[in-house]
């Protein structure tokens, strides 16, 4: 009860509006999430984490606002943010349907088409609790190898989640990445951590994006992340996306390349067999 009262007080200080009630929201292993009902009739959600990594919530808020500007997949409105919390407009959850999946695919294409000024972002960010280097580089291949794969490969190797042989396989692929990356494309506006848990199927007939690691990148990366851990009606999503914005030939063969980064992030954060899966993905391309 004391924690809930503290959460309400923090939200009131940010919003300038009294909180009528608080309700815990299930899910999420990084932050505590609480639904708020405000005296002005609005519902909101507050994410909190004591001693959060520096700038974590502010980077998330910036990413949400940047994605919102695309006019594609909607994102919750940012109502307030500080170093230890983020307050967003509440989105009532619903159920996945084929029709929603198709709309999501078209909307995701529109988000990606909005583009980005470069491969990367103006500030470093986070993916989960892991730091995410974003300093721009001229080409996607340079950015992906230097900012996405190699930092997590080294971290996974240091923590024993990747063997030297497995790391060598991935490094070999990165040295040859231009052979496997497909035709050059301009930077797309990416969510950056697009697994199914960050896709919110809304009750009002839209699909929403939450918890981004937004940056300019290759649009196939978001789609590969959706496929990595599965998403409801995935084929409907991809088919609708491709109708709205066709993918370059060979995109299916490149899925493994784009899944290397999330697999290495999971190897760093959780260990288990993710390092071996990353090496197997690299090996599948090399052979």
């Amino acid at each position: 009860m004391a924690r809930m009262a503290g959460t309400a007080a923090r939200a009131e200080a940010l919003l300038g509006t009294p909180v009528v009630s608080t309700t815990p929201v299930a899910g999420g292993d990084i932050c505590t999430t609480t639904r708020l009902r405000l005296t002005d009739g609005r519902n909101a959600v507050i994410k909190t984490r004591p001693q959060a990594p520096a700038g974590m919530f502010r980077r998330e808020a910036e990413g949400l606002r940047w994605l919102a500007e695309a006019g594609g997949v909607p994102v919750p409105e940012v109502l307030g943010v500080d170093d230890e919390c983020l307050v967003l407009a509440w989105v009532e959850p619903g159920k996945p349907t084929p029709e929603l999946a198709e709309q999501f695919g078209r909307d995701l294409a529109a988000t990606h088409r909005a583009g980005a000024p470069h491969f990367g972002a103006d500030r470093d960010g986070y993916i989960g609790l892991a730091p995410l280097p974003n300093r721009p580089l001229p080409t996607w291949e340079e950015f992906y190898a230097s900012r996405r794969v190699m930092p997590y490969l080294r971290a996974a190797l240091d923590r024993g989640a990747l063997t030297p042989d497995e790391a060598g396989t991935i490094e070999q692929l990165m040295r040859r990445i231009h052979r496997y990356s497909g035709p050059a494309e301009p930077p797309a506006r990416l969510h950056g951590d697009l697994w199914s848990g960050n896709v919110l199927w809304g009750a009002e007939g839209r699909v929403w994006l939450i918890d981004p690691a937004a940056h300019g990148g290759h649009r196939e990366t978001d789609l590969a992340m959706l496929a990595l851990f599965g998403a409801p009606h995935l084929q409907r999503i991809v088919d609708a996306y491709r109708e709205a914005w066709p993918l370059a030939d060979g995109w299916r063969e490149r899925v493994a390349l784009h899944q290397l980064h999330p697999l290495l992030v999971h190897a760093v954060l959780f260990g288990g067999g993710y390092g071996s899966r990353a090496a197997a993905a690299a090996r599948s391309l090399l052979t």
Side-chain angles (χ1 to χ4, degrees):
M1 293 298 293
R3 180 179 62 79
M4 286 295 184
T7 298
R10 181 178 290 277
E12 289 173 348
L14 275 175
L15 303 179
T17 304
V19 173
V20 175
S21 64
T22 59
T23 308
V25 177
D29 56 0
I30 293 174
C31 298
T32 299
T33 307
T34 307
R35 183 174 179 175
L36 310 170
R37 187 159 65 91
L38 308 176
T39 55
D40 60 11
R42 290 181 297 166
N43 284 277
V45 61
I46 182 170
K47 297 172 58 175
T48 59
R49 182 181 178 86
Q51 299 179 331
M56 183 180 79
F57 289 119
R58 297 186 189 278
R59 297 295 85 76
E60 182 176 345
E62 290 167 1
L64 287 168
R65 289 169 176 144
W66 188 59
L67 292 173
E69 292 171 2
V73 188
V75 301
E77 180 186 358
V78 177
L79 303 179
V81 63
D82 66 16
D83 289 334
E84 293 191 354
C85 75
L86 174 65
V87 186
L88 304 172
W90 174 260
V91 175
E92 189 66 29
K95 295 182 178 180
T97 67
E99 293 76 21
L100 273 180
E102 291 174 2
Q103 182 64 54
F104 174 45
R106 292 189 290 268
D107 287 345
L108 184 60
T111 295
H112 288 169
R113 272 190 185 276
H118 36 234
F119 292 106
D122 293 336
R123 296 181 181 88
D124 291 343
Y126 294 90
I127 184 164
L129 290 176
L132 189 67
N134 280 329
R135 188 158 53 88
L137 283 168
T139 68
W140 178 78
E141 290 84 357
E142 292 173 278
F143 175 80
Y144 191 66
S146 298
R147 305 285 187 257
R148 290 296 179 264
V149 173
M150 294 307 296
Y152 298 95
L153 181 149
R154 289 189 285 268
L157 191 58
D158 288 345
R159 67 161 293 173
L162 201 64
T163 69
D165 284 347
E166 290 170 338
T169 298
I170 298 170
E171 288 175 326
Q172 182 181 3
L173 177 63
M174 290 300 98
R175 288 194 295 270
R176 304 176 181 179
I177 187 172
H178 287 83
R179 301 184 188 181
Y180 305 98
S181 56
E185 292 197 358
R189 188 167 305 210
L190 298 194
H191 177 279
D193 190 13
L194 196 58
W195 71 291
S196 60
N198 289 338
V199 176
L200 178 55
W201 302 78
E204 84 305 330
R206 296 293 297 276
V207 178
W208 301 68
L209 295 181
I210 59 173
D211 299 347
H215 65 282
H218 198 301
R219 60 195 178 109
E220 291 175 13
T221 299
D222 270 353
L223 295 172
M225 183 69 166
L226 270 180
L228 180 59
F229 300 113
H233 308 294
L234 177 62
Q235 194 59 55
R236 292 285 190 106
I237 296 169
V238 174
D239 288 347
Y241 182 103
R242 293 176 61 208
E243 287 178 9
W245 191 8
L247 295 166
D249 290 346
W251 67 271
R252 291 180 180 85
E253 288 71 31
R254 292 190 291 273
V255 168
L257 174 63
H258 291 274
Q259 289 178 343
L260 275 179
H261 173 240
L263 286 170
L264 288 170
V265 170
H266 277 68
V268 171
L269 294 177
F270 308 114
Y274 289 110
S276 295
R277 287 183 65 183
R283 198 176 301 115
S284 73
L285 289 162
L286 289 168
T287 57

